[in-house]
Structure formats: C-alpha cells, structure tokens
Amino acid sequence: MKSNTVILALGLCASFVTSSALAETRITYKSAKTGSSYYQMGVQLAEAMKAGTNGDVIVTVEESQGSVQNVMEAKARGGDYVFTTPPALVGLAQAGKAMFEGKGDPKFDEIRALFPIPSLTMHFVMSADSSVTDFAGMEGKTILLGKGSFGATEGEKYLKLFGLEGKVNLAEVELSNAVPALKNGQIDGFVTAGSWPAPNVIEAAASADVVVLSLSDEQIAETKRSKLVIPAGTYSGQAADIATTSLPVAAFTTTAMSDDAAYQLTKTFWESKAAMAEDAPWWKGVDTDLMANISTKLHPGAIRYYSEAGVELTADQQ
C-alpha cells in the first residue's frame, strides 16, 4: 500500500509539472541596443509580464541593432517573437519600399500589432567643447550615427535635409560606444533615437558638458515628423526646452503567435502601465489615444482585449 501511495504521489507531481510547463508562455522581446531607453523598456515589460501573470509569461529581452533589423527578422521568427518598430516601417516592409526594396517577403504580411509604446525621440547630442549650438555648426565635425538603427537612418536623412550631407565626418563606431567616445574626444557628437529621457543622453550629460540641439519649426516641418518638446531640466545642465521630432512606435508580433498569448500580453501591458510609469516617466505619455498611430492590422488576440476594454478600433486595424 505504501509503495502505491508513493507511485500515486509521483504521478500527481509529474502531472503538475507537465501542466505548469504547458501553462507557461515564453516570449522573446527584441527592441534596441543595451543602454538605450527602448532596451530598458523591454526589461521593464519583462518584469511587468512576469509579475502580472504570476510567472505564466516569461519574457527574454534580446539586444537588437534597431527597428529595421527587428522587422527583417519577422520573416524567420516563430510565434514567440515580439519586436518594436515604428508602424511606418512595417508598411514599408509590406510594400517592399525604401530600406526594404528588393527584400520583400510574404511573411511581412503576417506582422500584427499588439500595443503602442513611447515614441522615438530624436536627440542630437554635441560636446560643449565642439562649440556647436545648431545644425549649421556641425559642418566639419565628427558625428556618430550608429549602424542599422532607425536613429542612424533618420539622422542621415536630417543631415541631407539641412545641407550637411558630405560635410560632416561620420564615425565608424557603434552607438553603444557613443558616451565614452564623446568623453574621450574621439567624436564631437552623436545621434540617438530613444524615448526621453534617453539613458545614453542622461549618461553623456552627467559625465561631460553636452548640448542637445533644438530644431526650428521650419526644420521640423522639413522632416515631416511630429514636434516634441523635451522640458528644461530633463538632462543635467539643460537650461531650456529642446524642440525635436518624434515618431510613433508599437510592439508587434506575427500571426504565428497564438490568440491567447497575444491577448495575455496586451491585457497585461495595459494593466501594468500605471505601475511602470511610477518608475519611468516615459510610460506616462502612453494611453489609448496612441492607438490611432497604429496603421497596420492588430493581432486577433489583441483585438479581443480591446473589444473587452471598449477601445474603438479602425477598420484597417481589424
């Protein structure tokens, strides 16, 4: 009788372990380089998902070269893949345009949105020693744009728009090395796109005298991006507001993800957002109004949550 009890107990234990394993959802979240605001957001989301689902959702944050790479990898990833990018890039990938020209793939049509996250904010950071206070002053200076990221592509576009193409020296250094390179005088400035306050800009401003350039209203109009004002005092030594540009960003997956997983991720995100905002101010600007910036289709699991929450969706999102 005793041996039968032991066998029964072992059987129940094995059954419990099996059911727990089946209940657990593992997600890979790919966003940006370590040290960026978007990587830190990923870490926050991972912690929020684990806490909000009692450990049923385990999110692993994976470093990325940027938004373009994130979209490209959607071709080969499975149902556990979540990534961030501006909705506009998904549209370009599906149309095979711009940086996706000649790289089209039917898999891009399977990309589906989950929820919005803080917008990409352009930062043009110059050392005080460079004496640069506006874009014209960047001529002849050494600037780090990074490689493969949206910030690098956008920064290159701005240099061209403002007459600086071929007039600045572009440093062949990874964006992750921007702050030490600036401190060591290897570069005069760097360009980064991250929701404010951006960690690498905080680090640069705290460890060296820097100037974050403002754009004029005319320059902002030329970029065809939205104006965003970073309040004075956001960064060390920042005495005045900084006028710059921003671009909406969202979290995406593909139709390979199960409806239940997409529902759970979306629901937990919105229910955890207020708590995340207590630790990081960039979450305070995220609300359901930002859903209007998502121009692509939403995942059916996400649609289920928004329907329950009474969030109105457009015909294109469904």
Side-chain angles (χ1 to χ4, degrees), residues 199-285:
N200 51 356
V201 182
I202 291 174
E203 184 184 357
S207 58
D209 290 333
V210 301
V211 175
V212 182
L213 303 183
S214 264
L215 282 73
S216 67
D217 286 343
E218 292 76 15
Q219 288 173 324
I220 291 172
E222 281 188 74
T223 68
K224 294 182 171 56
R225 301 296 187 203
S226 300
K227 180 178 180 178
L228 183 143
V229 176
I230 302 173
T234 297
Y235 300 113
S236 177
Q238 180 199 342
D241 291 350
I242 298 165
T244 185
T245 60
S246 68
L247 186 67
V249 182
F252 294 85
T253 185
T254 69
T255 54
M257 176 173 282
S258 72
D259 289 1
D260 286 344
Y263 171 82
Q264 196 170 33
L265 285 170
T266 307
K267 183 176 188 291
T268 306
F269 167 77
W270 287 108
E271 292 180 350
S272 304
K273 190 187 73 66
M276 291 192 293
E278 292 178 5
D279 296 325
W282 47 57
W283 294 112
K284 294 178 181 177

Side-chain angles (χ1 to χ4, degrees), residues 25 37 68 202 262 273:
T25 300
S37 56
V68 176
I202 291 174
K273 190 187 73 66

